[in-house]
Amino acid sequence: MDILIRSFITPVGELLLGSYQGALCLCDWKERRSRNDVDRRLQRGIGVRYKEGTSPVIEQAMDQLNAYFAGGRPFLDVPLHMVGTAFQRRVWEVLRSIPYGAMVSYAELSDQVADRTAIRAVAAANGANALSLFIPCHRVLGSDGALIGYAGGIMAKRFLLELEGAFPRNPPGLFDGPGPM
């Protein structure tokens, strides 16, 4: 059995969706910098190759993503198949517990997973997430509140956080200044 994959166009970029044995194993940005690394890890971890196609879980994921991007679905809940180390899977489970519309810092995430000294390992696990949106790594910010480190890009991260109401659409000060004269 292969990992079935297909593309999915979002308002902020193209995702690749993949399923294996009735679970989603891939929902990742097509243009991410580490695309090849993620693909190799998944194919090696499961022991099969990609094949273009679709499946019921991919169709369900697309329906949920369409509703999410329309602003009407705060929780994405298809069956997931996470491929990674035990530590990575622990980080991803904690990420899944971050509520829609909420944000945490990498330091806070590290405190929940291990301890503050593990912040680089936690950030690396966050970056290895192959199930973007379903494992909401976009809800993690720099310790100073900065929008950093997202596979889909900072503009996509901002869009997602704004969509969820976690980040103001026009942060105070961004467009402040004299009005029309």
Side-chain angles (χ1 to χ4, degrees):
M1 179 174 272
D2 297 312
I3 297 172
L4 296 176
I5 63 163
R6 71 167 295 171
S7 67
F8 178 79
I9 304 300
T10 78
V12 288
E14 187 175 358
L15 290 168
L16 291 177
L17 302 178
S19 70
Y20 180 72
Q21 294 185 338
L24 197 69
C25 61
L26 179 67
C27 177
D28 201 17
W29 300 98
K30 184 175 182 181
E31 300 300 323
R32 85 179 283 173
R33 192 175 345 166
S34 58
R35 168 85 276 128
N36 291 333
D37 294 336
V38 170
D39 293 340
R40 275 192 302 274
R41 179 172 47 86
L42 278 176
Q43 291 176 56
R44 239 188 348 252
I46 294 175
V48 296
R49 297 278 176 220
Y50 286 168
K51 178 182 175 185
E52 290 286 329
T54 193
S55 69
V57 77
I58 288 176
E59 297 297 323
Q60 183 184 9
M62 290 190 312
D63 289 344
Q64 289 185 15
L65 288 167
N66 280 326
Y68 170 81
F69 282 109
R73 186 168 184 100
F75 187 70
L76 303 171
D77 61 355
V78 300
L80 301 180
H81 183 91
M82 295 182 272
V83 178
T85 66
F87 181 79
Q88 288 171 328
R89 288 192 309 271
R90 191 164 78 232
V91 171
W92 300 335
E93 286 298 337
V94 172
L95 286 169
R96 290 181 73 193
S97 72
I98 302 170
Y100 180 93
M103 299 179 290
V104 301
S105 70
Y106 280 102
E108 291 168 322
L109 182 61
S110 291
D111 288 342
Q112 291 181 42
V113 173
D115 63 54
R116 190 71 50 115
T117 63
I119 196 164
R120 289 179 190 232
V122 168
N126 195 52
N129 175 21
L131 287 157
S132 190
L133 302 175
F134 289 88
I135 298 176
C137 55
H138 64 280
R139 296 178 185 154
V140 182
L141 305 176
S143 294
D144 63 354
L147 297 177
I148 60 171
Y150 188 58
I154 299 303
M155 295 302 290
K157 185 171 193 161
R158 175 183 289 275
F159 177 91
L160 297 171
L161 292 171
E162 288 174 354
L163 176 72
E164 295 181 6
F167 200 78
R169 290 196 188 273
N170 291 314
L174 185 62
F175 297 108
D176 288 351
M181 304 236 174

